[in-house]
Amino acid sequence: EAGVAQSPRYKIIEKRQSVAFWCNPISGHATLYWYQQILGQGPKLLIQFQNNGVVDDSQLPKDRFSAERLKGVDSTLKIQPAKLEDSAVYLCASSLSTVRGATTEAFFGQGTRLTVV
Amino acid sequence: AQSVAQPEDQVNVAEGNPLTVKCTYSVSGNPYLFWYVQYPNRGLQFLLKYITGDNLVKGSYGFEAEFNKSQTSFHLKKPSALVSDSALYFCAVSRRTLTFGKGTMLLVSP
């Protein structure tokens, strides 16, 4: 079974530039997550999709971050304009649909390491 | 709001000794609990989960975890540590969303 695919693996941009990350979840997984992991910290949920609907985006900085999940499969996370503090690893994960209202285990991609200079 | 606490930034253990990595949680309703491991420059890898049933759950690579409802804890354990177990370990709790703790670095010395 193929895992969660993410691209690119690494990205270096200047502040105020824009950047986009792509994620292809495991086939059949209805739930897709984007997490931000700053060095030395745990992953912070940015947005969670159930099919192509948003379940939670309460921690997404909506003035600069946006995400979409077209047709309930692939997803793109965009940052525009980037700030220095956006330097982090961006992790995409997917899981099967919720069980009795709770999410099952999520499977993660390798992540995209973003450096903003 | 749900949350996870991992009180130890780092755990040191000698190879062959038992290890415990601590986790406590806060969530409304019955918790779904998970442990993940992260190796350098890699994504998170699922180790084990507790959904319901037996309080002691077994997972990958010889790891197990004990769910204690009264103490709201879900500690990760292994009877005999290996040097290759050295990594960053994350506890997570799930209801509507999946929330992670800050992580505990496990260092196993030869």
Side-chain angles (χ1 to χ4, degrees):
Chain A
E1 176 184 85
V4 176
Q6 288 189 247
S7 67
R9 285 295 310 276
Y10 305 92
K11 190 74 176 179
I12 301 174
I13 62 171
E14 295 182 350
K15 59 184 179 183
R16 292 187 289 274
Q17 284 189 323
S18 62
V19 64
F21 312 127
W22 173 82
C23 174
N24 180 237
I26 293 172
S27 178
H29 281 194
T31 305
L32 185 147
Y33 315 79
W34 282 103
Y35 285 88
Q36 180 193 59
Q37 186 177 19
I38 293 174
L39 188 64
Q41 299 181 19
K44 181 182 85 169
L45 180 68
L46 293 176
I47 189 167
Q48 177 178 337
F49 292 97
Q50 180 76 11
N51 295 308
N52 59 356
V54 175
V55 173
D56 190 308
D57 63 356
S58 57
Q59 298 189 92
L60 185 73
K62 298 180 185 64
D63 58 333
R64 298 185 300 106
F65 286 64
S66 64
E68 59 181 5
R69 189 179 185 194
L70 300 175
K71 301 180 181 178
V73 182
D74 292 7
S75 178
T76 302
L77 176 69
K78 297 179 181 178
I79 307 175
Q80 181 179 10
K83 293 185 175 181
L84 296 176
E85 60 260 36
D86 298 332
S87 295
V89 175
Y90 291 84
L91 297 165
C92 179
S94 69
S95 66
L96 291 170
S97 294
T98 59
V99 175
R100 294 194 295 276
T103 55
T104 60
E105 65 268 31
F107 296 89
F108 283 78
Q110 298 270 52
T112 297
R113 182 177 298 277
L114 174 68
T115 302
V116 182
V117 297
Chain B
Q2 60 193 43
S3 64
V4 173
Q6 293 183 242
E8 304 151 316
D9 289 337
Q10 184 167 308
V11 170
N12 297 298
V13 64
E15 187 172 36
N17 284 358
L19 69 88
T20 298
V21 182
K22 296 179 180 177
C23 170
T24 58
Y25 66 89
S26 174
V27 69
S28 297
N30 292 323
Y32 288 17
L33 296 159
F34 307 88
W35 276 100
Y36 286 80
V37 60
Q38 187 174 36
Y39 297 99
N41 298 316
R42 303 291 298 276
L44 276 71
Q45 184 175 339
F46 170 72
L47 273 182
L48 52 78
K49 66 182 177 184
Y50 171 82
I51 303 295
T52 186
D54 195 349
N55 289 343
L56 185 65
V57 294
K58 296 187 182 297
S60 306
Y61 313 118
F63 283 94
E64 57 192 25
E66 186 169 14
F67 171 65
N68 187 316
K69 188 173 184 178
S70 63
Q71 297 184 3
T72 62
S73 67
F74 189 56
H75 300 331
L76 181 70
K77 300 182 179 184
K78 188 173 183 181
S80 179
L82 299 173
V83 173
S84 57
D85 292 330
S86 297
L88 190 55
Y89 290 80
F90 291 96
C91 181
V93 65
S94 163
R95 284 301 303 176
R96 186 164 162 269
T97 61
L98 184 60
T99 301
F100 285 85
K102 64 179 176 61
T104 298
M105 177 64 71
L106 173 65
L107 292 177
V108 182
S109 55

